Amino acid sequence: MLKWVATIHKEWLLLIRDRTGLLLLFLMPAALVVVITLVQDNVLRQTGGLRIRGALVDADGGAAAQVLVHALEANETVTFRRVWDGRAVDTQKAADMVAQGELQFYAAIPAGLTAAVAERVRARMERLVAGESEAAAPGSDLPEVAVHFDPTVQSIYRTAVNGVLHQALAVMQAEYSMKYLGDSLERHLRERVAALAGGFAPQITEQLVPTLGGDIMQAPVVCISVQSTGSAKFERLPTAVQQNVPAWALFGMFFIVVPLSGSLIRERREGILARLLVMPVSRTALILGKLTAYAGVCMIQFLCIVLVGKWLLPLLGTDAFVIGGHAWEMLVVALCSALAATGYGILLGVVARTNEQAAVLGPVSIVIAAALGGIMVPVFAMPHAMQVISQASPLAWAHDAFMTLLVRDGGLSAVWGQLTLLLLFFGAALGVSLLVLSKRRW
């Protein structure tokens, strides 16, 4: 026991004297959490809460244009503004604002839209009432609502704007279709009744055809309910903070392999390990002492990142990191992750022959494991082959466990599979390390 404690004390003294290594272990993940969260926070808000801003130029001003404008301005996802600084926006003003970066796009309703829509819808309804089942060819002279995007706007935002426009156009077309369908039906029935009833036709046709249209035709008959799977009481949306704090904390914890493997290689190269083994202390005690010391560093590192998410990020304008009722479960996942990280660091320090090998293999392998594990890109957005490969990443196991606790409101019973994989990885790495050490001559 005393030998184990002495080994831990030795490792802590070496770590405290390595100021550069401490900066790498603590400032690097903290900086990553702050920078990446701030960058991603506004993106997530725009796709889930903030509005995409654009101008709306109405060169028509007719009834159809008014219906279209009303539908666009009522949308909560994309903001369409017709008035700027107290004046209606014209095409030149809108183009200048997009070019200067004040807006992401502008939409222009052409002059003559109302007349063109009325003519086309009336002709279509006349053909329908007359019993013609085939629609006329649309032709090439359809009125066109032009949307002009800033070249930097990505496709996801363009798709959102186009979807809103298509929805508004569908509302306008439906309203006009109902209006002219009613007119065509009434006229057609009057003609038929007049042919059959003669002089009594005016009194009969007054009550035959109800007026179609109005607000009653726009009232929804089906609604949409958006819910999360899992616990019904847990409806917290996954923010950039909830995603990035545990993700980049894991990334920083696994970077413990750099100083840990370097320490092992340095002790082996300078003969320190050989001299320690001459003393009445086993290889297992030395390795376990080193492992305990660095696992403790990982836990302190994790707690520091959680504090950054809890207290610093809200001061910079983001949401606070919410632990909920899963503090102890998070510590268990963090401990298993720390053991997996230190186990890999010891394995790398034992297998690598030089500091150069460990300095290249360690960071590169951690970056690859992080990329595969969903730290940088969500796993579901990867190709199928990469999704299969990602299941072998320890960072994927740990990250999925954290997401189950923080976003899906799971407990330890829901993450026991990931914890088992992390502990098996740790056991395998430690076992291989002790086996190599036992067979190597010092």
Side-chain angles (χ1 to χ4, degrees):
M1 181 68 179
L2 291 178
K3 298 173 183 178
W4 175 60
V5 173
T7 304
I8 296 173
H9 180 67
K10 171 183 74 74
E11 297 298 335
W12 275 92
L13 288 177
L14 292 174
L15 279 170
I16 291 173
R17 294 169 185 172
D18 185 9
R19 297 180 180 178
T20 304
L22 288 177
L23 288 176
L24 173 68
L25 290 176
F26 288 93
L27 288 185
M28 182 268 293
L32 284 173
V33 167
V34 171
V35 172
I36 295 177
T37 300
L38 291 176
V39 169
Q40 290 184 355
D41 185 63
N42 193 52
V43 175
L44 289 179
R45 287 177 182 270
Q46 285 200 14
T47 56
L50 292 182
R51 296 178 177 179
I52 308 167
R53 303 195 335 167
L56 182 60
V57 180
D58 182 9
D60 180 76
Q66 292 301 314
V67 174
L68 182 59
V69 167
H70 178 73
L72 291 174
E73 290 181 337
N75 186 270
E76 297 182 357
T77 304
V78 181
T79 299
F80 291 85
R81 291 186 59 175
R82 285 185 298 162
V83 179
W84 217 274
D85 296 332
R87 296 187 301 175
V89 180
D90 58 17
T91 303
Q92 185 60 48
K93 174 68 173 177
D96 291 341
M97 296 179 74
V98 171
Q100 295 168 7
E102 297 181 42
L103 298 174
Q104 288 77 51
F105 72 94
Y106 75 91
I109 300 175
L113 175 75
T114 299
V117 168
E119 179 183 353
R120 289 180 178 277
V121 172
R122 184 185 296 111
R124 184 176 299 178
M125 293 303 104
E126 290 289 349
R127 291 168 61 87
L128 179 63
V129 172
E132 300 181 22
S133 58
E134 295 184 3
S140 59
D141 57 342
L142 288 174
E144 185 177 90
V145 178
V147 186
H148 302 264
F149 287 99
D150 185 325
T152 62
V153 174
Q154 298 178 353
S155 60
I156 184 173
Y157 304 116
R158 296 174 185 246
T159 302
V161 173
N162 289 334
V164 170
L165 279 169
H166 280 293
Q167 182 180 12
L169 288 171
V171 170
M172 179 195 69
Q173 182 172 334
E175 185 166 325
Y176 262 69
S177 296
M178 296 305 300
K179 176 180 182 299
Y180 285 107
L181 177 60
D183 293 344
S184 298
L185 281 174
E186 182 177 1
R187 184 168 58 256
H188 183 72
L189 284 175
R190 284 182 185 276
E191 294 173 355
R192 295 292 300 271
V193 171
L196 296 174
F200 297 99
Q203 290 82 6
I204 295 175
T205 55
E206 287 295 333
Q207 305 297 327
L208 276 179
V209 183
T211 301
L212 300 178
D215 292 338
I216 191 173
M217 301 304 298
Q218 303 296 328
V221 295
V222 179
C223 65
I224 299 174
S225 175
V226 180
Q227 301 177 4
S228 299
T229 59
S231 176
K233 66 180 181 179
F234 200 78
E235 293 294 335
R236 185 184 305 127
L237 291 177
T239 63
V241 177
Q242 295 296 108
Q243 297 277 353
N244 285 314
V245 168
W248 294 103
L250 284 171
F251 186 75
M253 289 167 66
F254 270 81
F255 249 84
I256 200 76
V257 302
V258 176
L260 177 51
S261 60
S263 172
L264 270 171
I265 293 172
R266 183 171 59 253
E267 290 180 356
R268 194 173 69 227
R269 184 187 60 205
E270 295 177 358
I272 298 174
L273 189 57
R275 291 195 294 272
L276 288 173
L277 291 175
V278 173
M279 302 173 64
V281 58
S282 65
R283 294 181 177 87
T284 302
L286 291 175
I287 294 299
L288 290 180
K290 191 178 288 290
L291 185 150
T292 305
Y294 280 89
V297 172
C298 287
M299 294 301 293
I300 297 174
Q301 189 182 40
F302 177 78
L303 293 175
C304 289
I305 301 301
V306 169
L307 292 178
V308 167
K310 188 83 174 170
W311 302 106
L312 177 60
L313 287 176
L315 297 178
L316 301 177
T318 70
D319 298 323
F321 180 65
V322 179
I323 299 175
H326 301 291
W328 291 108
E329 291 93 335
M330 284 183 60
L331 288 177
V332 172
V333 176
L335 178 59
C336 293
S337 304
L339 291 175
T342 51
Y344 179 60
I346 289 174
L347 176 62
L348 186 63
V350 170
V351 173
R353 294 287 182 177
T354 63
N355 272 324
E356 289 76 14
Q357 290 179 356
V360 173
L361 181 59
V364 170
S365 61
I366 295 303
V367 170
I368 293 174
L372 291 174
I375 305 299
M376 303 172 184
V377 178
V379 174
F380 66 81
M382 300 178 185
H384 178 69
M386 299 301 293
Q387 293 182 26
V388 175
I389 297 174
S390 71
Q391 297 176 11
S393 171
L395 277 84
W397 309 332
H399 186 251
D400 189 50
F402 277 121
M403 289 300 98
T404 299
L405 296 177
L406 296 172
V407 179
R408 303 186 185 102
D409 196 32
L412 284 181
S413 60
V415 299
W416 69 268
Q418 293 93 329
L419 299 183
T420 301
L421 289 172
L422 288 169
L423 293 177
L424 288 175
F425 178 83
F426 161 70
L430 184 61
V432 172
S433 301
L434 293 175
L435 181 63
V436 173
L437 283 174
S438 65
K439 294 182 177 299
R440 181 174 290 174
R441 294 183 178 181
W442 306 97

